[in-house]
Amino acid sequence: HKCDLRPPVLTLTNRVLPDVCILISRSMSRLVELGYLNGFEVVLPEFILDVVDRFKGSDKGAVSEELDHLRALEAKGKIKINNLSAIPVRVDSSNFQREDKVILGLAQLTNSILITSDRVLRDRAVIQERPTIYVSPDAFGQIKVIHEARKP
């Protein structure tokens, strides 16, 4: 369904958990720099990094660059990164086959708004009534263009 919400939107959390696709596309840092997620806490659990670690090639490099960019945004005070080091979260490596369910469970555990470009994950989140921001894969290019146009 189409979301007709207009600002201001009341949320009970300022915590977001991006899925792997959002990190690969580098959309997370772009959305922060465009002002959409300033002041938010970005949850980056070790499980997400373990999933990325299984990648090869350009996807792994893209996520590494995105994480560096997010750390730079944290250093500027635009976001706070939470890697859940204070919460003992153990995820069995056999759960890589159920990546969506683990990410959704982590969003539930941390009371995070899920940011995803995966329709199946979005639908699962909606069924569980988990607040979700869906970024269509078609929008990645548009976000990049807007971001580059606004760069000083």
Side-chain angles (χ1 to χ4, degrees):
H1 72 281
K2 186 171 172 135
C3 177
D4 293 328
L5 294 175
R6 300 280 181 253
V9 177
L10 175 64
T11 62
L12 300 177
T13 183
N14 68 339
R15 188 176 296 141
V16 293
L17 191 153
D19 78 345
V20 176
C21 297
I22 294 295
L23 296 174
I24 290 171
S25 69
R26 302 177 186 160
S27 293
M28 190 71 214
S29 61
R30 290 178 179 138
L31 289 169
V32 171
E33 288 184 327
L34 289 171
Y36 292 109
L37 300 170
N38 281 341
F40 274 67
E41 180 179 314
V42 179
V43 178
L44 295 171
E46 192 172 337
F47 176 76
I48 299 272
L49 303 179
D50 289 343
V51 171
V52 170
D53 217 17
R54 296 172 53 116
F55 293 166
K56 294 190 176 19
S58 63
D59 285 349
K60 191 172 186 176
V63 172
S64 181
E65 288 178 24
E66 177 70 342
L67 294 176
D68 288 344
H69 206 119
L70 289 170
R71 285 186 200 101
L73 290 169
E74 181 180 39
K76 291 179 184 177
K78 293 195 176 233
I79 59 170
K80 176 159 179 14
I81 295 175
N82 183 345
N83 61 9
L84 301 182
S85 60
I87 302 172
V89 178
R90 292 193 180 258
V91 179
D92 185 353
S93 61
S94 66
N95 282 328
F96 287 123
Q97 303 301 328
R98 300 186 329 244
E99 173 189 329
D100 287 358
K101 291 181 180 180
V102 172
I103 291 172
L104 190 53
L106 289 168
Q108 187 75 26
L109 174 71
T110 59
N111 192 32
S112 298
I113 299 168
L114 181 65
I115 301 181
T116 185
S117 62
D118 180 331
R119 287 184 182 187
V120 174
L121 181 55
R122 175 201 65 190
D123 292 345
R124 285 185 176 155
V126 168
I127 288 169
Q128 292 186 17
E129 298 180 355
R130 169 74 7 221
T132 305
I133 297 171
Y134 176 72
V135 180
S136 168
D138 298 335
F140 291 156
Q142 295 168 354
I143 292 169
K144 182 179 180 181
V145 168
I146 293 168
H147 176 257
E148 289 176 355
R150 289 191 181 179
K151 261 187 180 174

